[in-house]
Amino acid sequence: MIFDALIAPFIEFEFMRRALVGCLALSLAAGPVGTFLMLRRMSLFGDAMAHTILPGAALGYLAFGLSLTAMTIGGLATGLLVVLLAGLVTRATRLREDASIAGFYLISLAIGVSIVSLKGSNVDLLRVLFGSILALDDPAMMLLAAMSTGTLLVLALIFRPLVLECVDPAFLRSVSRAGGPAHLIFLALVVTTLVSGFNALGTLLSVGMMMLPAIAARFWAVELTGIIFAATLIGLVSSLCGLILSFHTGLPSGPAIILVAGALYLLSLSFGPQGGLILKLLPQRHLEA
Amino acid sequence: MTAALLTLTDMTLGYDRHPAVHHVSGRIERGSLTAIIGPNGAGKSTLLKGIAGAMSPLSGTLARTPGTRIAYLPQSAALDRSFPISLFDLVAAGLWHRTGAFGGLSHKDRHAVHEAFERVGLQGFERRTLDALSGGQLQRALFARLILQNADLILLDEPLAAIDTKTSADLLAMIEVWHAQGRTIIAVLHDMQIVRDHFPQSLLLARECVAHGATVDVLTENNLGRARQMIEAFDEEAHICAQESAS
């Protein structure tokens, strides 16, 4: 029974195996990146960047048809361009980062929607918005895995400056010039993670893979390392359970995975040992010291 | 004969061309212990930022002896205390000059971090997160980080603000240890009694340098009164500085 429900789909169908590998690779990068976004109070930044990716993905689609690789590279290009432009504007003018990014992502979104509505059909738009992990081909899967690997390696390289830039930017400035570049590189990693995610989950929901596990993880661990591990684990579990749910119910894979992640978030929020609601409601005697 | 560690020549610092520190000249001797004092808005923090190299002069120059290692402690409000790292990690960042962005902590480094915790009286607090500390404990931790930075020039911006008497006394004792070790220290302070008791040198600032020298000569009623009068309002329509256009 359990075998039929949980294991058989992956043994019988190659597309399920592929989808699983793709989603697991994605979760490995999305957890850590999402954790930093949450801790930097940039939880909604992922949403803005997800919209930014649209015109590039649409252009890739128009030029090369339904090629995940072309759409990925297109999305990556527009995403990185917007991060870079917004970064430059933040440094050169009095606009704060959120404002300058809002400016560029809205322009980018309008261009993207224009391209899709002029040249494509509504089906295409739905595809870009909601993704289709079950149609992941070999090159796209390799690209996704490569991007996740690269993201993790680069994050490891900038880890220390990035943490200090979050906690005590003034101190970091006094000992090193690495803070600004670390922040910009981190934003680029957000873009790569989102782009890897949009193949599988669509531009709208790929944010969910970054943010939901990270936010849920806050209720399981106190220190940064623990939160990152918890977020990654929650992401992995969501991917696996989401695909199984999608297989048995006929739900699209993207929403199914994010719904599982959402359920895990609600569970963590209620029962998490670090500040979960239930624990807060229980009467607790205070300590001596 | 002592050597100048810092030489300020006609230095102006400011924001958007409006000066906050105006035409200041002076020398900071190696090994000196100097308090920067002055009314609110006098440019004390700005001057410290300029010395730390966090902002560049609008005009004039600031010459540092090459190879001077600087440690700069800004007003503590800049810290994000909700970020979930341990106090150990925050303090160990003081070893950046040894580890850089990538290097690990050696056994000896870890020992040095624990020793710094002991010296500021925070042993046992290593695994606490930053949101579980009082203001005084956090300031002690930041002093522990300064110890590890092992700097020649230590810049402190209001290190004793909102700190109780016991902690103040401990932190002042630490400043005196650094002074005895031959380090150069510049601190922005408000408490005149502390300046009189602990700081041999003072610089009285009111956007311009009102007086600089031995604390007993600087902290006179006359000087302090002049400093209060010299703080003018920030003028949106300010003309280009006459001293600037003359040169």
Side-chain angles (χ1 to χ4, degrees):
Chain A
M1 264 309 277
I2 294 175
F3 176 84
D4 282 343
L6 303 184
I7 316 270
F10 297 107
I11 293 181
E12 279 174 42
F13 298 102
E14 199 197 342
F15 73 87
M16 285 294 285
R17 284 203 292 280
R18 237 193 263 272
L20 182 64
V21 171
C23 283
L24 293 183
L26 180 62
S27 323
L28 287 177
V33 171
T35 302
F36 274 100
L37 273 182
M38 168 188 67
L39 293 175
R40 301 214 70 173
R41 298 193 185 84
M42 294 172 72
S43 292
L44 295 175
F45 171 81
D47 262 312
M49 289 318 295
H51 292 93
T52 304
I53 291 164
L54 192 62
L59 280 177
Y61 174 74
L62 286 180
F64 298 96
L66 205 54
S67 153
L68 285 184
T69 314
M71 287 162 68
T72 301
I73 292 171
L76 212 52
T78 43
L80 293 179
L81 182 69
V82 166
V83 163
L84 200 66
L85 283 176
L88 289 177
V89 168
T90 312
R91 266 158 202 273
T93 70
R94 61 171 58 195
L95 281 187
R96 296 282 186 106
E97 185 164 51
D98 58 335
S100 65
I101 283 175
F104 284 111
Y105 104 73
L106 288 166
I107 296 174
S108 184
L109 177 63
I111 295 175
V113 174
S114 306
I115 293 174
V116 174
S117 62
L118 280 180
K119 298 283 184 178
S121 64
N122 280 338
V123 182
D124 302 330
L125 180 60
L126 281 182
R127 214 197 122 86
V128 175
L129 289 180
F130 299 117
S132 56
I133 184 74
L134 301 180
L136 205 63
D137 57 6
D138 269 350
M141 194 179 72
M142 294 306 286
L143 188 65
L144 202 162
M147 276 163 52
S148 285
T149 311
T151 301
L152 279 180
L153 283 177
V154 174
L155 191 63
L157 278 178
I158 62 167
F159 195 83
R160 187 175 290 158
L162 187 61
V163 167
L164 279 174
E165 173 73 12
C166 297
V167 185
D168 196 350
F171 169 76
L172 182 61
R173 265 200 303 281
S174 78
V175 293
S176 157
R177 291 173 187 279
H183 177 61
L184 221 69
I185 292 170
F186 170 68
L187 295 186
L189 293 184
V190 175
V191 173
T192 13
T193 313
L194 277 173
V195 173
S196 338
F198 97 80
N199 288 329
L201 310 164
T203 53
L204 285 182
L205 287 178
S206 71
V207 188
M209 199 61 183
M210 278 195 319
M211 296 324 300
L212 279 171
I215 297 168
R218 201 72 164 97
F219 294 98
W220 294 100
V222 178
E223 265 194 60
L224 182 59
T225 329
I227 297 176
I228 287 178
F229 275 111
T232 311
L233 193 68
I234 293 171
L236 292 171
V237 172
S238 310
S239 298
L240 180 64
C241 298
L243 283 174
I244 294 169
L245 178 71
S246 144
F247 182 83
H248 290 295
T249 60
L251 275 180
S253 57
I257 292 172
I258 301 306
L259 278 175
V260 173
L264 290 177
Y265 161 60
L266 293 177
L267 279 176
S268 312
L269 176 68
S270 312
F271 301 103
Q274 301 298 337
L277 291 176
I278 304 279
L279 214 63
K280 278 201 167 169
L281 292 177
L282 291 177
Q284 288 189 35
R285 314 281 300 269
H286 69 101
L287 306 173
E288 201 162 75
Chain B
M1 173 76 195
T2 48
L5 187 73
L6 285 174
T7 311
L8 283 57
T9 315
D10 205 23
M11 185 174 75
T12 296
L13 293 163
Y15 307 90
D16 267 346
R17 294 174 65 208
H18 292 283
V21 173
H22 213 179
H23 299 289
V24 170
S25 296
R27 284 155 46 100
I28 300 289
E29 311 290 338
R30 182 180 290 283
S32 61
L33 174 54
T34 310
I36 300 181
I37 44 179
N40 283 327
K44 305 181 295 295
S45 294
T46 306
L47 179 58
L48 213 58
K49 257 189 228 170
I51 293 173
M55 60 193 292
S56 20
L58 296 179
S59 69
T61 57
L62 168 83
R64 262 184 234 108
T65 307
T68 306
R69 193 147 78 213
I70 301 177
Y72 168 47
L73 182 62
Q75 279 168 291
S76 58
L79 218 78
D80 178 2
R81 292 180 57 175
S82 67
F83 199 90
I85 63 167
S86 66
L87 202 53
F88 183 93
D89 290 339
L90 181 75
V91 171
L95 290 170
W96 183 283
H97 61 276
R98 293 171 51 96
T99 63
F102 310 119
L105 292 178
S106 68
H107 187 72
K108 221 178 103 203
D109 291 335
R110 292 186 169 277
H111 187 71
V113 177
H114 285 294
E115 226 171 52
F117 268 92
E118 269 170 42
R119 279 189 48 201
V120 299
L122 279 182
Q123 58 273 42
F125 281 70
E126 286 88 341
R127 305 267 33 116
R128 295 273 188 107
T129 49
L130 307 186
D131 54 0
L133 297 171
S134 72
Q137 288 167 338
L138 185 66
Q139 198 66 352
R140 284 172 187 267
L142 294 175
F143 266 65
R145 189 171 70 184
L146 287 171
I147 292 175
L148 292 174
Q149 281 187 268
N150 190 21
D152 310 307
L153 173 60
I154 300 174
L155 306 170
L156 309 167
D157 197 350
E158 302 203 22
L160 306 179
I163 300 289
D164 68 16
T165 356
K166 166 80 172 74
T167 308
S168 278
D170 288 353
L171 297 182
L172 281 168
M174 219 162 311
I175 290 174
E176 275 168 359
V177 169
W178 289 331
H179 182 49
Q181 287 168 343
R183 303 178 202 271
T184 313
I185 299 147
I186 307 175
V188 171
L189 290 167
H190 275 296
D191 188 324
M192 295 299 163
Q193 200 51 52
I194 287 179
V195 174
R196 286 199 177 92
D197 292 348
H198 299 273
F199 288 76
Q201 303 282 310
S202 291
L203 192 161
L204 176 56
L205 196 67
R207 299 177 72 205
E208 294 166 34
C209 178
V210 179
H212 180 195
T215 298
V216 277
D217 304 329
V218 171
L219 288 189
T220 61
E221 268 317 306
N222 185 18
N223 280 343
L224 292 172
R226 268 177 60 215
R228 273 191 293 274
Q229 279 169 10
M230 280 167 67
I231 293 292
E232 307 148 309
F234 176 84
D235 187 356
E236 198 60 63
E237 305 294 325
H239 293 289
I240 288 177
C241 169
Q243 286 184 55
E244 174 109 350
S245 40
S247 62

